[in-house]
Amino acid sequence: MCGIVGYVGRRQAAPILLEGLRRLEYRGYDSAGVAIQNGRGLEVRKLAGRVQGLRDELAQAPIAGTSGIAHTRWATHGAPTARNAHPHVDCTEAIAVVHNGIIENADALRAALERGGHRFRTETDTETLAHLIEEAAGTTLEERVAAALSHVVGTYGMAVVAANEPGKVVVARQGSPVLLGLGENEFFVASDASAVLEHTRSVVYLDDGDLAVLTPESYHVMDANAHVQLRDVSDIAWDLDAIDLGGYPHFMLKEICEQPEAVKGTLRGRLMLEEGVARLDGLNLTPEACSGISRVVIVACGTSWHAGLVGRHLIEELARLPVAVEYASEYRYRPRLTIPGTLTVAISQSGETADTLEAMRAAKAAGSRVLGLVNVVGSTIAREADGGIYLHAGPEIGVASTKAFASQIVALALLGLFLGRPRGLPLAAGQELACRLAQLPRLISLALALEPQVRELAREYAERRNFLYLGRGVSFPVALEGALKLKEISYIHAEGYPAAEMKHGPIALIDADMPVVFVAPRDAVYSKVLSNMQEVKARGGRIIAVTTEGSADHGALVDHRLCVPATAPLLSPVLTTVPLQLLAYHMAVLRGCDVDRPRNLAKSVTVE
Ligand code: F6R
C-alpha cells in the first residue's frame, strides 16, 4: 500500500528519500514522487511506474536540498498516472503533501474549495489537503495543517513541506501509520520502519490525532489539542540484513525458507515442556480473567484469516472453548452482540490492516477483551490491543504472506495451550503438544527439502488455467491458503474447498484439465479424504497429494505425491503449507510473474 518517506537534516535529501522509497517498494505501488525544498522553493518530480524511473530522472536532473518528502502511491482515487502521483501541491505550488489513507469528504471539500477559486490538477482526494492548507489560517505550517485537518473526515498519515519554511517537515496521523526516525541533527518520517532502518533504530510511533514538527535541530509531537506530548522512543529490533534479499532471487522464496527461524522466534522463551503449557506474559491475562472466558472470536483478513481457521481447531480442541472466525471486513459492520466472556483475537502480520483494526475496535467497544497476534512490533493493532503475542517471525517483505502464516499457527497453538491447561487439558496432552511444537523448526526444514520435486511439478502444470485445492478439518484452511498463494502471485484461477463439499457443486468442474491438490496428512479424516480422491479420479481428474511420509495407501489414486514429515495432526498445517507455497512460487516464476510485487496487491492494506 502507499508509502511515505520524509527527511530533514544536513545531508542531501534526494538520495535518502529515494532509498527510503526503494525499501517501501514491497508494499505495492503504481507511481512515485518527491518534493524537495531547494532553497528557493519546492521542486516536485513524479511519475507512473517504478522508483527506479524516478531515480533515473533525478540522476539526469538532480535536485539539491536538505529536506523533503516522498511517496509511493497505490491508486484508490483516480488512475495510476504521473498527474495523480504524490506529492500534491496547492494553487501556488508553495505547499506539497504526501498522504496515505482516504479523505472521505473529499468531494464536498473539493467542491467548496473550487467555488472559492482553487484550481485542482488531479483526481485525487489528497489534493484537497494541499488546498485546505493553502486556505487555512495560521502563521506557521503546523498551525495551518492543524486548521486544515479540522475540516477533514477520513484517515491520513501525511507529511507536508512549505516553500516559505525551509528545513521543516510537518507530519500528522489519523488512522494510517506514520513514525519518526530520530538521528543526530536529522530526522526521518516513514510509514514503515524499513525505510529508516539504514539511518536509525530509534523511532517514535505517532498516535491517532498526533501532529509532529521536524527541523534539523529538534522534533516535537502535539496531540489534537496542540499540547506537546512526550512519546516513547522505541528501538527497532531487526537488522538491515533482514530486509535484504541475502542471495535469494525473491523475498517470497527467502521468507518461505526462513520458516524454521520464524517459528523458532515465535516459540522462543514461551514453551514450558515440563508443565505442558505456554508462557505468554504479553497476554496480560490473569487466571481469573482466563476463567471468565466463555468464547473466542477471531477477526482477520486473507492469510491471517486462514490461520484463524486453523486456530479454531486448536483452541476448540485444546481449550474446549467455542471459537468463531470472522472476516474482519464483514464483522465490523454487523450488529455486535455484547456477550460477556468473549475474548476477541485480532490476527495480523502487519498490525495495520484497516478492517482488522476496526473490527478489533468494534469488539472492544462492545466490551470484549481484545488480543493481538501481530508480527510488526509497535504497529497499531499491537498498541491498541489489551495484550497479545508478538510473532517474532522477522520482517515479512514479500507481498504474499508465508512465514507469518506458520508463526500465526504456532502462536495460536501456544494460546490454545495457555487457555487449555487450566481448563482441563491433561498434563500429558499438554506436554505432547509442547514437544511437537519444539520439533517443528526441524520438520519444516525437512519439508523445505521438497523444493526440487515441487519445481519439477510446477514445470508440468505451469500452463494450467484452473486449480482446485481440497482438504478436510485442519487441512481445509491449508487448501484455502494454497489456492490463495497460487492465484495472488501466478494469476492462475484457484479455489479452495472442504473436500467433501466438492460433491455439492465443484465436482462438475473436474476433468483431465483440472488439477486437484489434496491436502491429506494422516489424521482422523484421512480415510474420508481418500474417498474424495476416488470421486475425483473417477472423473478423470489429476491428483497432487500433499500427505504424510509413510502414507502409501492412496497408491494409484494419486498422480503426484509430496510427503511432509509426521507431526501432531493439529500442527500439520505448518508443514503441509510449505510445498503449496513452493508450488505457487515456482509456477509464478515459470510464468514470468513479478513474485514479490504481484499486480494490484499491497502488502499492508491500510484502507478499507
Ligand atoms: C496474502 C496476504 C494477505 C494478508 C491480508 C492481511 O498472501 O498477504 O491476504 O494476509 O492482507 O494482512 P495482515 O496479516 O497484515 O493483516
Side-chain angles (χ1 to χ4, degrees), residues 257-267 271 410 435-448 574-575:
C257 294
E258 280 172 352
Q259 289 180 104
E261 282 308 310
V263 165
K264 271 187 208 161
T266 311
L267 292 174
L271 265 188
V410 167
C435 171
R436 295 294 194 160
L437 278 166
Q439 292 167 351
L440 273 181
R442 187 175 56 79
L443 301 186
I444 300 172
S445 301
L446 296 175
L448 285 166
V574 176
L575 301 178

Side-chain angles (χ1 to χ4, degrees), residues 213-291:
V213 183
L214 284 64
T215 66
E217 293 76 36
S218 66
Y219 79 95
H220 63 273
V221 181
M222 294 176 284
D223 66 8
N225 303 315
H227 296 136
V228 173
Q229 297 294 312
L230 280 180
R231 295 269 177 252
D232 291 342
V233 177
S234 311
D235 221 26
I236 304 172
W238 24 277
D239 293 326
L240 212 47
D241 292 356
I243 55 170
D244 278 334
L245 277 168
Y248 285 89
H250 298 100
F251 281 109
M252 182 177 177
L253 184 60
K254 178 178 182 241
E255 288 157 8
I256 292 172
C257 294
E258 280 172 352
Q259 289 180 104
E261 282 308 310
V263 165
K264 271 187 208 161
T266 311
L267 292 174
R268 192 164 293 124
R270 289 169 167 162
L271 265 188
M272 299 170 76
L273 294 168
E274 290 283 296
E275 293 86 343
V277 77
R279 183 185 167 153
L280 296 170
D281 297 341
L283 292 182
N284 301 328
L285 270 177
T286 59
E288 299 72 53
C290 247
S291 61

Side-chain angles (χ1 to χ4, degrees), residues 301-304 348-350 353 399-401 408 484-485 488 605:
C301 302
T303 290
S304 298
S348 174
Q349 187 287 130
S350 61
T353 300
V399 164
S401 186
Q408 286 165 342
L484 177 64
K485 287 289 92 93
E488 68 181 331
V605 184

Side-chain angles (χ1 to χ4, degrees), residues 252 300-306 347-354 356-357 373 375-376 381 391 396 398-402 404 408 481 484-485 488-489 601-605:
M252 182 177 177
C301 302
T303 290
S304 298
W305 184 76
H306 297 159
I347 308 179
S348 174
Q349 187 287 130
S350 61
E352 300 294 352
T353 300
T356 309
L357 175 61
L373 259 62
N375 195 33
V376 178
I381 292 178
L391 302 180
E396 192 179 71
V399 164
S401 186
T402 52
Q408 286 165 342
E481 178 60 8
L484 177 64
K485 287 289 92 93
E488 68 181 331
I489 59 162
L601 288 180
K603 180 64 184 162
S604 166
V605 184

